[in-house]
Amino acid sequence: MLLTLHGSIIMMSGYLLLPSLRLLRRPLQANRCTAPHRCHSADGHTPQPLIGSESVEVLGCSHPRDDFTNVTTKILSKVGRNLHNQPHHPLWLIKERIKAHFYSSFIGRYGNPLFSVHDNLSPVVTVEQNFDSLLIPLHHPSRKRGDNYYLNRRTMLRAHTSAHQRELVSSGLDAFLLAGDVYRRDEIDSSHYPVFHQMEGVRLFSDHELFSTVASGDDLSLFEHGGRRTAEKQAVHSLEAVKLVEFNLKQTLTRLVTHLFGGGVEVRWVDCYFPFTHPSFELEVRFHGDWMEVLGCGVMEQELLHSAGAGNKLGWAFGLGLERLAMVLYEIPDIRLFWSQDERFLKQFRVSDIQQPVSFQPLSKYPALQNDISFWLSNDFTENDFYELVRSIAGDLVEEVRLTDKFTHPKTGRRSNCYRIVYRHMERTLTQQEVRLVHEQIERSAESELGVQGRF
């Protein structure tokens, strides 16, 4: 997985890929383009992203535009930044700590790490990869144009790293971690950003691997005929196999969060639903007196494994968000800081040991400026479209957009919303004059692009 945890995950690595003893049935390629597209050769140089009247250029490939295209120049400017691969960036530190834990805890029969790591796969994927390969229904709300960044109807910026799950399993991998940047249209506040980073893990088991340490294991099987789907298992799975896989999954992840949060951390498991796992769980930890969801996980749907050519195995998957963990463990108060080039921020994470504790020291808190915007809504108005318009114009100057008032005219029935936009630069003091220019552009663009009628 795992789909919707703002900070959900799959893991990829190209930063440090230790040799695997497995022979891949199909080689993996970093940053490959997806059809339909046209790619350019530039002697290793990737051209800057460009949105033209007929096509979208990203990562050296051209994708034709259509009525679904909604990606913006500001979002495309983030593609290729790969914060999770920048040494000593806080997201890199979290990723490396998780890698180190799995490398030391799971050793193959020849002494090398059991889990391979993949963190350099292209974020440009097909809709089929992002949704269909994960058994997400055609009309599932997560597919909505308003929630995703589409290059066209067939191609998009991945909404979760799980988009690569099937291709990695198809390549012959039984245990892997995957990390990367993911993209979702969302609200604007200190903990939400349209680009964030996920890490995911998958492990598959054969009959022998799962039952070899169990008494009378030769008499047990991963599968059963004529079974039925219950809250505890899928129809094709034997209950014994599912319980062993579930135990292995929960033991693995409990050890991971203990490694990250320290010994004595209190955890609990909550039943939940994902389209690609069953049974499914969320892991919560008690932190500063409150329960906090850290990751989602579950037993992989057998249909997914079957489509990837691994139908004779049973497996688990988990996904987590790197920003969420970094903000909690390093006490980083604003998600925009991860994109900062301010040396005062970056130097705090240049540690000699990735396990070294870091307590972020806040930069000077520059004052916020607030401006309200009110308008009559159009029939097809959606808040995510408005948030995206604000992001496209004001970028990281905006700290928060908050709905402060709703009004319905008693005679005409027309509806009006009022939003408060909070502007704050992370590295300097803003002037009311420069904010006013930006705010006026938002007002004009809201009318021309969203079809609303201003009450400015």
Side-chain angles (χ1 to χ4, degrees):
M1 142 146 202
L2 288 159
L3 188 75
T4 291
L5 314 171
H6 206 191
S8 218
I9 288 194
I10 287 188
M11 275 187 143
M12 320 194 259
S13 170
Y15 177 76
L16 177 61
L17 178 59
L18 297 189
S20 171
L21 296 177
R22 302 178 186 81
L23 295 178
L24 303 188
R25 290 195 291 268
R26 176 169 57 80
L28 298 174
Q29 298 173 328
N31 291 327
R32 68 168 181 264
C33 299
T34 52
H37 65 271
R38 183 175 69 257
C39 294
H40 309 281
S41 174
D43 298 325
H45 172 71
T46 301
Q48 291 298 309
L50 175 67
I51 300 178
S53 59
E54 301 295 331
S55 64
V56 177
E57 313 276 345
V58 58
L59 294 178
C61 293
S62 177
H63 303 267
R65 294 189 60 163
D66 60 22
D67 61 325
F68 240 58
T69 304
N70 67 351
V71 69
T72 65
T73 301
K74 269 194 165 49
I75 292 300
L76 287 183
S77 71
K78 307 293 186 183
V79 176
R81 289 283 300 276
N82 297 328
L83 300 182
H84 62 290
N85 286 340
Q86 295 182 15
H88 302 291
H89 189 279
L91 298 180
W92 177 87
L93 283 177
I94 294 293
K95 183 196 72 172
E96 292 299 307
R97 289 183 65 189
I98 295 172
K99 281 171 52 178
H101 172 74
F102 274 87
Y103 279 172
S104 63
S105 301
F106 300 94
I107 306 298
R109 68 170 69 179
Y110 299 106
N112 65 322
L114 180 68
F115 282 78
S116 60
V117 182
H118 311 269
D119 59 12
N120 200 30
L121 299 183
S122 172
V124 179
V125 299
T126 64
V127 171
E128 195 275 338
Q129 284 177 288
N130 198 79
F131 296 119
D132 300 328
S133 74
L134 294 166
L135 312 178
I136 298 172
L138 187 61
H139 299 292
H140 194 276
S142 66
R143 291 178 178 254
K144 289 191 301 184
R145 183 173 179 268
D147 290 347
N148 300 284
Y149 291 104
Y150 286 93
L151 305 184
N152 52 48
R153 282 186 172 271
R154 293 183 59 185
T155 315
M156 64 187 297
L157 298 179
R158 64 186 171 212
H160 43 245
T161 47
S162 304
H164 304 283
Q165 193 173 99
R166 187 179 65 186
E167 66 185 282
L168 289 171
V169 172
S170 295
S171 72
L173 297 177
D174 289 338
F176 59 84
L177 302 173
L178 168 64
D181 45 333
V182 299
Y183 300 78
R184 293 187 206 154
R185 289 158 60 102
D186 210 339
E187 58 192 286
I188 301 176
D189 59 33
S190 62
S191 62
H192 291 84
Y193 201 81
V195 189
F196 55 103
H197 298 74
Q198 293 182 338
M199 195 159 187
E200 183 159 329
V202 167
R203 187 172 185 187
L204 307 184
F205 298 88
S206 65
D207 275 273
H208 174 72
E209 290 172 310
L210 191 61
F211 299 124
S212 60
T213 59
V214 178
S216 303
D218 291 342
D219 298 329
L220 301 176
S221 174
L222 298 178
F223 309 107
E224 66 178 15
H225 299 290
R228 63 187 183 90
R229 191 180 183 96
T230 67
E232 294 183 289
K233 74 178 196 71
Q234 297 169 42
V236 297
H237 293 162
S238 70
L239 184 60
E240 296 86 358
V242 170
K243 288 303 180 183
L244 283 173
V245 170
E246 181 182 324
F247 174 80
N248 183 276
L249 169 64
K250 290 182 176 179
Q251 181 185 61
T252 297
L253 296 179
T254 299
R255 289 175 176 173
L256 173 62
V257 298
T258 300
H259 169 71
L260 294 174
F261 286 86
V265 64
E266 188 177 355
V267 305
R268 71 179 182 187
W269 296 94
V270 179
D271 292 339
C272 64
Y273 166 78
F274 299 114
F276 27 79
T277 56
H278 181 79
S280 302
F281 314 96
E282 287 179 347
L283 173 58
E284 297 182 348
V285 301
R286 195 166 183 83
F287 192 74
H288 291 169
D290 295 319
W291 287 103
M292 179 186 71
E293 177 245 311
V294 173
L295 56 82
C297 61
V299 178
M300 297 174 68
E301 284 284 355
Q302 200 61 31
E303 183 181 343
L304 191 159
L305 292 178
H306 181 76
S307 69
N312 62 329
K313 298 179 179 180
L314 192 151
W316 54 245
F318 75 87
L320 55 82
L322 294 180
E323 276 87 350
R324 170 172 290 187
L325 282 176
M327 291 180 77
V328 171
L329 294 175
Y330 300 144
E331 299 181 350
I332 297 174
D334 194 312
I335 197 169
R336 293 177 298 163
L337 280 166
F338 292 109
W339 297 90
S340 175
Q341 299 295 308
D342 193 325
E343 183 63 17
R344 295 173 301 166
F345 173 75
L346 297 173
K347 70 179 181 181
Q348 297 188 41
F349 301 95
R350 296 195 184 111
V351 293
S352 58
D353 181 355
I354 61 173
Q355 308 298 349
Q356 179 178 329
V358 177
S359 181
F360 171 67
Q361 299 301 311
L363 311 180
S364 298
K365 190 72 169 179
Y366 295 99
L369 295 175
Q370 299 180 355
N371 284 265
D372 290 351
I373 179 172
S374 303
F375 44 75
W376 296 107
L377 306 185
S378 59
N379 291 332
D380 58 352
F381 174 82
T382 65
E383 284 198 328
N384 272 359
D385 287 343
F386 177 61
Y387 296 146
E388 191 59 32
L389 181 142
V390 173
R391 288 190 191 279
S392 296
I393 295 172
D396 288 352
L397 292 183
V398 176
E399 179 175 88
E400 182 182 16
V401 177
R402 182 170 64 251
L403 178 64
T404 59
D405 186 54
K406 290 183 176 182
F407 173 72
T408 301
H409 195 284
K411 294 184 178 180
T412 65
R414 296 181 72 191
R415 294 179 298 118
S416 170
N417 283 1
C418 178
Y419 294 90
R420 176 154 297 163
I421 303 179
V422 180
Y423 300 88
R424 191 198 307 267
H425 201 288
M426 304 300 294
E427 299 166 12
R428 64 178 177 85
T429 299
L430 291 171
T431 67
Q432 186 61 255
Q433 181 180 4
E434 64 181 316
V435 166
R436 187 62 213 169
L437 292 175
V438 173
H439 196 75
E440 288 174 350
Q441 186 179 351
I442 292 173
E443 291 174 338
R444 293 192 299 270
S445 298
E447 288 190 314
S448 62
E449 296 182 27
L450 303 182
V452 301
Q453 182 180 348
R455 302 179 65 191
F456 312 141

